[in-house]
Amino acid sequence: MTPDHHSIEQRAAAEMARTVQERLPVATGVFALTCAVVGAIECWTHPERLPTFAALYALGLVALAASLYYVRRPTLTPAQVVTATVAALIVFISFVTAYFVLTWAQLELMALGLVYLVLGTVITLPWGAGAQAAVVAAAAAGFLFATIMGVPAATPPAAHVVGMVSVAALTVLSARVLARAHFDLIRRDEEKNGLLDIARDLTASVDIDQAFDRVQQRAAILLGCEIVATYFLD
C-alpha cells in the first residue's frame, strides 16, 4: 500500500466519521419519531401492549441518546465513531426484537420495521459496507430469533426471510458502492492538488535542477512510486 493511498484512506475515514456525527441526530430523531407514531397506533389497537412498548421504547431512546453524546467527543477516532453508532443501533434492534417476542405482535410489522431501519441507515449514514453489514446481521438475527420463538405471522415466514435477505444484500452493496465513490472523489482531489503543487514548483524556482527535483518528489507521491527518473533527449 503506497503512502498516498494510505493518506487517502485516512482522509476518507475522517470525512465519513464527520458525516456520521453530523447526520446521526437527524437519523435518530426520524427513527424515534417513526417508532413513536407506529407504537401509538399499535397500542391504540392493543392497549395491553402499552407498558411493554413504553419500557422498551424508553430503553431504546436511552441507547440512541448515549450514542449521540458519545460520538460528539472530539478525541474519538473515525473507527470509534462508527463502532459506537453501530453498537447503539444493534441495541435498539434488540429492544425491537424483545417487544415482538414479549407481546406476540405480528411478524410482518417487525419485518417492515427492520427493513425501514436497514434502509434508513444506508441512506442517512454513509459508513461503508462493514458497518452496514453489522446492522443488517443484527436485524436478520433479531428477525430469525422472533421467528424461532413463534411470533405469529399471517404469511409464511420464509417469504419474509427472502425479502429481508434481498433488501439486506442491496443495502450492503449500496454502502460499498457509495464508499468507493467517495474514495475515488478524494483520490481525484488529491491528484488535482498534486498537479497544482507540481505546477507551482515549476514556476517558483529559477534553478531547473531544483525544480525538477521537486517535481520528481511530488510525482513519486502522486503516483505511489519509490523512484522517479527523468530523461532528457538532445
Side-chain angles (χ1 to χ4, degrees), residues 52-75:
T52 304
F53 173 81
L56 292 174
Y57 181 70
L59 290 174
L61 288 183
V62 169
L64 294 177
S67 174
L68 278 175
Y69 175 78
Y70 181 76
V71 301
R72 303 301 295 180
R73 297 170 60 184
T75 57

mmCIF file of all heavy atoms in Angstrom, residues 52-75:
data_model
loop_
_atom_site.group_PDB
_atom_site.id
_atom_site.type_symbol
_atom_site.label_atom_id
_atom_site.label_comp_id
_atom_site.label_asym_id
_atom_site.label_seq_id
_atom_site.Cartn_x
_atom_site.Cartn_y
_atom_site.Cartn_z
ATOM 1 N N THR A 52 -45.266 -2.597 27.917
ATOM 2 C CA THR A 52 -44.077 -3.198 27.318
ATOM 3 C C THR A 52 -43.452 -2.277 26.289
ATOM 4 O O THR A 52 -42.219 -2.080 26.264
ATOM 5 C CB THR A 52 -44.433 -4.544 26.661
ATOM 6 O OG1 THR A 52 -45.035 -5.397 27.619
ATOM 7 C CG2 THR A 52 -43.187 -5.212 26.094
ATOM 8 N N PHE A 53 -44.295 -1.692 25.439
ATOM 9 C CA PHE A 53 -43.774 -0.777 24.423
ATOM 10 C C PHE A 53 -43.098 0.426 25.062
ATOM 11 O O PHE A 53 -41.995 0.831 24.654
ATOM 12 C CB PHE A 53 -44.897 -0.307 23.496
ATOM 13 C CG PHE A 53 -44.459 0.753 22.530
ATOM 14 C CD1 PHE A 53 -43.786 0.414 21.365
ATOM 15 C CD2 PHE A 53 -44.703 2.103 22.796
ATOM 16 C CE1 PHE A 53 -43.356 1.391 20.479
ATOM 17 C CE2 PHE A 53 -44.274 3.081 21.913
ATOM 18 C CZ PHE A 53 -43.604 2.731 20.754
ATOM 19 N N ALA A 54 -43.753 1.014 26.065
ATOM 20 C CA ALA A 54 -43.200 2.215 26.700
ATOM 21 C C ALA A 54 -41.839 1.932 27.332
ATOM 22 O O ALA A 54 -40.896 2.722 27.205
ATOM 23 C CB ALA A 54 -44.178 2.746 27.747
ATOM 24 N N ALA A 55 -41.716 0.796 28.005
ATOM 25 C CA ALA A 55 -40.457 0.465 28.680
ATOM 26 C C ALA A 55 -39.327 0.236 27.674
ATOM 27 O O ALA A 55 -38.229 0.786 27.809
ATOM 28 C CB ALA A 55 -40.652 -0.774 29.558
ATOM 29 N N LEU A 56 -39.608 -0.569 26.648
ATOM 30 C CA LEU A 56 -38.570 -0.879 25.669
ATOM 31 C C LEU A 56 -38.242 0.330 24.798
ATOM 32 O O LEU A 56 -37.080 0.546 24.421
ATOM 33 C CB LEU A 56 -39.017 -2.058 24.805
ATOM 34 C CG LEU A 56 -39.119 -3.392 25.543
ATOM 35 C CD1 LEU A 56 -39.708 -4.465 24.634
ATOM 36 C CD2 LEU A 56 -37.743 -3.832 26.043
ATOM 37 N N TYR A 57 -39.245 1.128 24.480
ATOM 38 C CA TYR A 57 -39.009 2.342 23.701
ATOM 39 C C TYR A 57 -38.127 3.316 24.473
ATOM 40 O O TYR A 57 -37.203 3.918 23.913
ATOM 41 C CB TYR A 57 -40.332 2.997 23.344
ATOM 42 C CG TYR A 57 -40.206 4.242 22.509
ATOM 43 C CD1 TYR A 57 -39.803 4.179 21.175
ATOM 44 C CD2 TYR A 57 -40.490 5.493 23.055
ATOM 45 C CE1 TYR A 57 -39.689 5.328 20.398
ATOM 46 C CE2 TYR A 57 -40.375 6.647 22.284
ATOM 47 C CZ TYR A 57 -39.980 6.557 20.966
ATOM 48 O OH TYR A 57 -39.862 7.706 20.212
ATOM 49 N N ALA A 58 -38.382 3.452 25.763
ATOM 50 C CA ALA A 58 -37.558 4.330 26.595
ATOM 51 C C ALA A 58 -36.113 3.841 26.654
ATOM 52 O O ALA A 58 -35.165 4.633 26.553
ATOM 53 C CB ALA A 58 -38.154 4.418 28.005
ATOM 54 N N LEU A 59 -35.940 2.524 26.795
ATOM 55 C CA LEU A 59 -34.578 1.972 26.815
ATOM 56 C C LEU A 59 -33.875 2.201 25.479
ATOM 57 O O LEU A 59 -32.671 2.505 25.433
ATOM 58 C CB LEU A 59 -34.637 0.479 27.140
ATOM 59 C CG LEU A 59 -35.044 0.116 28.570
ATOM 60 C CD1 LEU A 59 -35.208 -1.388 28.709
ATOM 61 C CD2 LEU A 59 -34.020 0.639 29.566
ATOM 62 N N GLY A 60 -34.615 2.057 24.384
ATOM 63 C CA GLY A 60 -34.032 2.311 23.071
ATOM 64 C C GLY A 60 -33.616 3.750 22.908
ATOM 65 O O GLY A 60 -32.535 4.053 22.350
ATOM 66 N N LEU A 61 -34.432 4.677 23.405
ATOM 67 C CA LEU A 61 -34.082 6.097 23.335
ATOM 68 C C LEU A 61 -32.828 6.393 24.157
ATOM 69 O O LEU A 61 -31.987 7.214 23.750
ATOM 70 C CB LEU A 61 -35.247 6.954 23.823
ATOM 71 C CG LEU A 61 -36.463 7.040 22.914
ATOM 72 C CD1 LEU A 61 -37.490 7.990 23.513
ATOM 73 C CD2 LEU A 61 -36.072 7.511 21.510
ATOM 74 N N VAL A 62 -32.712 5.750 25.293
ATOM 75 C CA VAL A 62 -31.515 5.939 26.124
ATOM 76 C C VAL A 62 -30.261 5.486 25.375
ATOM 77 O O VAL A 62 -29.227 6.170 25.389
ATOM 78 C CB VAL A 62 -31.658 5.175 27.454
ATOM 79 C CG1 VAL A 62 -30.324 5.140 28.205
ATOM 80 C CG2 VAL A 62 -32.729 5.810 28.313
ATOM 81 N N ALA A 63 -30.352 4.346 24.700
ATOM 82 C CA ALA A 63 -29.200 3.844 23.941
ATOM 83 C C ALA A 63 -28.824 4.802 22.807
ATOM 84 O O ALA A 63 -27.640 5.097 22.602
ATOM 85 C CB ALA A 63 -29.521 2.459 23.375
ATOM 86 N N LEU A 64 -29.821 5.299 22.095
ATOM 87 C CA LEU A 64 -29.550 6.218 21.000
ATOM 88 C C LEU A 64 -29.007 7.555 21.519
ATOM 89 O O LEU A 64 -28.088 8.142 20.933
ATOM 90 C CB LEU A 64 -30.809 6.448 20.170
ATOM 91 C CG LEU A 64 -31.333 5.230 19.402
ATOM 92 C CD1 LEU A 64 -32.634 5.567 18.686
ATOM 93 C CD2 LEU A 64 -30.289 4.740 18.391
ATOM 94 N N ALA A 65 -29.571 8.044 22.619
ATOM 95 C CA ALA A 65 -29.100 9.303 23.198
ATOM 96 C C ALA A 65 -27.663 9.168 23.701
ATOM 97 O O ALA A 65 -26.845 10.092 23.538
ATOM 98 C CB ALA A 65 -30.022 9.733 24.336
ATOM 99 N N ALA A 66 -27.351 8.026 24.304
ATOM 100 C CA ALA A 66 -25.980 7.794 24.772
ATOM 101 C C ALA A 66 -25.006 7.785 23.597
ATOM 102 O O ALA A 66 -23.893 8.326 23.690
ATOM 103 C CB ALA A 66 -25.909 6.476 25.538
ATOM 104 N N SER A 67 -25.428 7.192 22.484
ATOM 105 C CA SER A 67 -24.587 7.187 21.300
ATOM 106 C C SER A 67 -24.383 8.596 20.763
ATOM 107 O O SER A 67 -23.267 8.971 20.390
ATOM 108 C CB SER A 67 -25.217 6.296 20.221
ATOM 109 O OG SER A 67 -24.501 6.386 19.007
ATOM 110 N N LEU A 68 -25.449 9.384 20.730
ATOM 111 C CA LEU A 68 -25.343 10.774 20.275
ATOM 112 C C LEU A 68 -24.335 11.553 21.114
ATOM 113 O O LEU A 68 -23.518 12.313 20.586
ATOM 114 C CB LEU A 68 -26.703 11.457 20.342
ATOM 115 C CG LEU A 68 -27.670 11.218 19.189
ATOM 116 C CD1 LEU A 68 -29.016 11.867 19.496
ATOM 117 C CD2 LEU A 68 -27.101 11.764 17.898
ATOM 118 N N TYR A 69 -24.410 11.366 22.416
ATOM 119 C CA TYR A 69 -23.494 12.079 23.313
ATOM 120 C C TYR A 69 -22.061 11.596 23.135
ATOM 121 O O TYR A 69 -21.124 12.396 23.081
ATOM 122 C CB TYR A 69 -23.939 11.876 24.768
ATOM 123 C CG TYR A 69 -22.988 12.459 25.783
ATOM 124 C CD1 TYR A 69 -22.964 13.827 26.039
ATOM 125 C CD2 TYR A 69 -22.099 11.632 26.480
ATOM 126 C CE1 TYR A 69 -22.082 14.358 26.967
ATOM 127 C CE2 TYR A 69 -21.212 12.159 27.409
ATOM 128 C CZ TYR A 69 -21.211 13.523 27.657
ATOM 129 O OH TYR A 69 -20.330 14.047 28.560
ATOM 130 N N TYR A 70 -21.892 10.293 23.007
ATOM 131 C CA TYR A 70 -20.544 9.723 22.951
ATOM 132 C C TYR A 70 -19.810 10.098 21.666
ATOM 133 O O TYR A 70 -18.629 10.465 21.699
ATOM 134 C CB TYR A 70 -20.635 8.203 23.097
ATOM 135 C CG TYR A 70 -19.284 7.507 23.083
ATOM 136 C CD1 TYR A 70 -18.455 7.553 24.193
ATOM 137 C CD2 TYR A 70 -18.860 6.811 21.956
ATOM 138 C CE1 TYR A 70 -17.229 6.918 24.184
ATOM 139 C CE2 TYR A 70 -17.631 6.173 21.939
ATOM 140 C CZ TYR A 70 -16.817 6.230 23.058
ATOM 141 O OH TYR A 70 -15.604 5.610 23.038
ATOM 142 N N VAL A 71 -20.486 10.012 20.532
ATOM 143 C CA VAL A 71 -19.802 10.216 19.255
ATOM 144 C C VAL A 71 -19.428 11.682 19.018
ATOM 145 O O VAL A 71 -18.671 11.972 18.090
ATOM 146 C CB VAL A 71 -20.642 9.708 18.063
ATOM 147 C CG1 VAL A 71 -20.939 8.234 18.207
ATOM 148 C CG2 VAL A 71 -21.927 10.510 17.906
ATOM 149 N N ARG A 72 -19.931 12.603 19.831
ATOM 150 C CA ARG A 72 -19.567 14.010 19.670
ATOM 151 C C ARG A 72 -18.215 14.333 20.281
ATOM 152 O O ARG A 72 -17.702 15.434 20.098
ATOM 153 C CB ARG A 72 -20.633 14.900 20.298
ATOM 154 C CG ARG A 72 -22.034 14.709 19.766
ATOM 155 C CD ARG A 72 -22.133 14.960 18.280
ATOM 156 N NE ARG A 72 -21.846 16.341 17.927
ATOM 157 C CZ ARG A 72 -21.875 16.821 16.685
ATOM 158 N NH1 ARG A 72 -22.180 16.014 15.685
ATOM 159 N NH2 ARG A 72 -21.600 18.072 16.438
ATOM 160 N N ARG A 73 -17.636 13.391 20.986
ATOM 161 C CA ARG A 73 -16.340 13.642 21.634
ATOM 162 C C ARG A 73 -15.261 13.835 20.574
ATOM 163 O O ARG A 73 -15.095 13.003 19.675
ATOM 164 C CB ARG A 73 -15.984 12.483 22.552
ATOM 165 C CG ARG A 73 -16.962 12.289 23.703
ATOM 166 C CD ARG A 73 -16.703 11.000 24.443
ATOM 167 N NE ARG A 73 -15.370 10.955 25.023
ATOM 168 C CZ ARG A 73 -14.870 9.897 25.659
ATOM 169 N NH1 ARG A 73 -15.619 8.794 25.782
ATOM 170 N NH2 ARG A 73 -13.663 9.922 26.158
ATOM 171 N N PRO A 74 -14.500 14.930 20.666
ATOM 172 C CA PRO A 74 -13.502 15.228 19.621
ATOM 173 C C PRO A 74 -12.299 14.295 19.620
ATOM 174 O O PRO A 74 -11.546 14.264 18.651
ATOM 175 C CB PRO A 74 -13.076 16.667 19.958
ATOM 176 C CG PRO A 74 -13.355 16.822 21.420
ATOM 177 C CD PRO A 74 -14.560 15.976 21.704
ATOM 178 N N THR A 75 -12.106 13.548 20.706
ATOM 179 C CA THR A 75 -10.928 12.677 20.796
ATOM 180 C C THR A 75 -11.136 11.317 20.139
ATOM 181 O O THR A 75 -10.192 10.528 20.038
ATOM 182 C CB THR A 75 -10.550 12.462 22.269
ATOM 183 O OG1 THR A 75 -11.676 11.910 22.975
ATOM 184 C CG2 THR A 75 -10.152 13.784 22.924
#
